[in-house]
Amino acid sequence: MEQMLNNLKEEALKAIAAASELGELENIRLACLGKKGQLTAVLRQMGSMPPQERPRLGQLANAVRDALEEALASRREELEAREQEARLAAERVDVTLPGRKPGRGAVHPIMRLRRQIEDIFLGMGYTIEEGPEIEADYYNFVALNIPKHHPARDMQDTFYVGADVLLRTHTSPVQVRAMEKARGKVPLKMICPGKVYRKDDDATHSPMFFQVEGLVIDRGISLADLKGTLLHFVREIFGPGQRIRLRPSFFPFTEPSVEVDILCTACAGAGCRVCKASGWLEILGAGMVHPRVLEMSGYDPGQVSGFAFGLGIDRVAMLKYGIHNIRHLYQNDLRVLKQFQGGLE
Ligand code: FA5
């Protein structure tokens, strides 16, 4: 029996030392020390041993159990440490890796142009005004000399929200609001950029688009002031070689009224498909503020005069950046928008 105990110890210690994972070690423990294990089996034979041998054999069996338990515990510790190390190695975070850069956005071409336009006019001493997009019929039409049932209303297909409430079709109502706010004081120099709405939808017309209104009122303002201001503006936007051409036109709130053209941005005036061989492209409507409009908003047309203009930012963006379909400006297609990441001027 002594021999059996010694053999058991020797074999078990070898197996414990060779165990390479915790599961295997647990199997060895059960096989040696478990209820149905080898040591229990050997001890069952104790009864058949001579009584004087039993204490010594009992001590030996306990020593074997202690030795195996100790070996199992220290091997378990080793294996646990090794397994933890392996887990940590697999999950390691490399703190020296460079950080992930957040995706860089870009200012939308319309906003970029709007800010550029604002800067140009701020530089000439204009203030920037705002007005509501949901507007009263009075400000959008009546106070601009377009009474109810006037045929000029057909020029701007209108979204009505209520009886006399609509989505503004242009930024011109802000002229009226600015004049009312100024209470007859001069000089009044303001621009108003903002969204406007019309029942339009094709390659060059969007149901929602952007305009910038401009209004100057002072003593002795003439068409020459309008022309000089617009020439400075288009040269800032399109370059110093740019030119403008004023063509007679009609708006109920200006007299005289003009359409303003610039040299075609595709052919520089030579004549091409873009400008339908004329060499010119229309960019805005303008004129001298109609005396009735001045009067309705508290100014004396005998004392002061003024000019006003309204341009479509979308139209200018399309010309400046060579965008052929206005929908590209509103579809949020990254292939279009990414072209503006680099800070195009
Ligand atoms: C006006 O809206 C006048 N209020 C402009 C004005 C102001 C004249 C002050 C005189 C004094 P018009 O309807 O032409 O005018 O529009 C002005 C510009 O808005 C056009 O030249 C065009 O560039 C742009 N525009 C008009 N409709 C659309 C549309 N559906 N989509 C994009 N741009 C448009």
Side-chain angles (χ1 to χ4, degrees):
M1 186 170 171
E2 190 174 341
Q3 186 63 40
M4 280 167 77
L5 284 169
N6 284 333
N7 283 351
L8 170 61
K9 180 178 163 191
E10 205 173 304
E11 298 281 307
L13 286 177
K14 261 194 226 157
I16 289 168
S20 60
E21 52 183 54
L22 289 168
E24 195 183 339
L25 198 64
E26 178 63 7
N27 287 340
I28 295 168
R29 189 185 70 79
L30 290 172
C32 300
L33 307 178
K35 269 186 198 154
K36 291 177 187 164
Q38 290 162 304
L39 186 64
T40 317
V42 174
L43 289 177
R44 280 213 185 95
Q45 298 172 22
M46 192 68 95
S48 61
M49 292 290 125
Q52 68 277 20
E53 291 285 316
R54 289 180 196 167
R56 198 177 54 81
L57 289 173
Q59 272 175 10
L60 181 62
N62 283 341
V64 168
R65 177 189 300 276
D66 288 350
L68 293 187
E69 275 178 352
E70 198 177 305
L72 280 166
S74 82
R75 185 67 183 150
R76 182 176 302 121
E77 239 171 67
E78 272 171 33
L79 289 180
E80 274 173 358
R82 201 187 293 174
E83 277 189 14
Q84 188 176 5
E85 237 169 67
R87 222 178 20 248
L88 286 179
E91 288 173 1
R92 187 157 49 205
V93 177
D94 184 349
V95 292
T96 65
L97 280 176
R100 288 200 195 104
K101 279 194 189 152
R104 192 158 150 249
V107 178
H108 190 277
I110 298 233
M111 276 313 289
R112 177 193 295 270
L113 202 50
R114 173 179 169 163
R115 288 181 191 168
Q116 214 179 333
I117 293 169
E118 287 176 359
D119 280 350
I120 295 168
F121 283 98
L122 281 172
M124 290 193 277
Y126 287 60
T127 60
I128 296 174
E129 302 291 333
E130 278 187 2
E133 288 172 29
I134 298 175
E135 183 57 283
D137 183 281
Y138 173 79
Y139 286 104
N140 197 81
F141 290 127
V142 177
L144 290 165
N145 202 26
I146 317 174
K148 286 244 156 100
H149 311 298
H150 191 284
R153 289 193 178 212
D154 298 344
M155 287 162 68
Q156 301 177 357
D157 255 338
T158 310
F159 292 113
Y160 278 89
V161 177
D164 276 326
V165 185
L166 45 81
L167 297 184
R168 67 181 180 191
T169 55
H170 52 176
T171 42
S172 299
V174 188
Q175 284 187 36
V176 179
R177 290 179 176 277
M179 285 189 278
E180 285 183 353
K181 200 169 88 179
R183 294 175 171 275
K185 284 211 195 77
V186 287
L188 169 58
K189 289 171 80 176
M190 72 91 184
I191 59 162
C192 166
K195 286 181 193 154
V196 302
Y197 304 83
R198 289 185 198 180
K199 268 191 258 169
D200 277 346
D201 194 9
D202 61 34
T204 54
H205 295 84
S206 162
M208 189 282 294
F209 60 103
F210 286 81
Q211 286 192 339
V212 179
E213 194 75 12
L215 174 70
V216 171
I217 298 180
D218 205 347
R219 292 175 200 283
I221 295 290
S222 75
L223 201 64
D225 297 308
L226 171 65
K227 197 172 171 185
T229 304
L230 293 178
L231 185 61
H232 173 71
F233 166 71
V234 300
R235 288 188 169 163
E236 287 286 310
I237 294 282
F238 293 101
Q242 196 35 278
R243 287 168 52 197
I244 55 171
R245 178 176 81 166
L246 272 52
R247 275 183 294 113
S249 183
F250 169 77
F251 296 102
F253 35 94
T254 46
E255 182 59 35
S257 301
V258 291
E259 300 278 358
V260 179
D261 300 336
I262 58 170
L263 281 181
C264 175
T265 46
C267 65
C272 69
R273 221 157 42 92
V274 176
C275 58
K276 299 198 180 85
S278 73
W280 296 93
L281 291 169
E282 178 196 319
I283 67 154
L284 58 88
M288 300 306 292
V289 181
H290 196 290
R292 289 207 51 200
V293 171
L294 286 173
E295 241 165 31
M296 275 190 276
S297 295
Y299 283 89
D300 178 357
Q303 298 289 316
V304 299
S305 56
F307 67 72
F309 59 87
L311 72 100
I313 304 186
D314 308 62
R315 173 72 53 87
V316 177
M318 289 169 77
L319 296 177
K320 188 168 161 67
Y321 302 129
I323 297 168
H324 299 303
N325 191 323
I326 195 166
R327 296 185 184 106
H328 287 319
L329 293 171
Y330 294 109
Q331 284 167 335
N332 285 339
D333 185 334
L334 288 179
R335 288 171 302 179
V336 174
L337 299 179
K338 275 191 169 159
Q339 296 177 43
F340 293 88
Q341 250 173 354
L344 275 179
E345 265 312 302

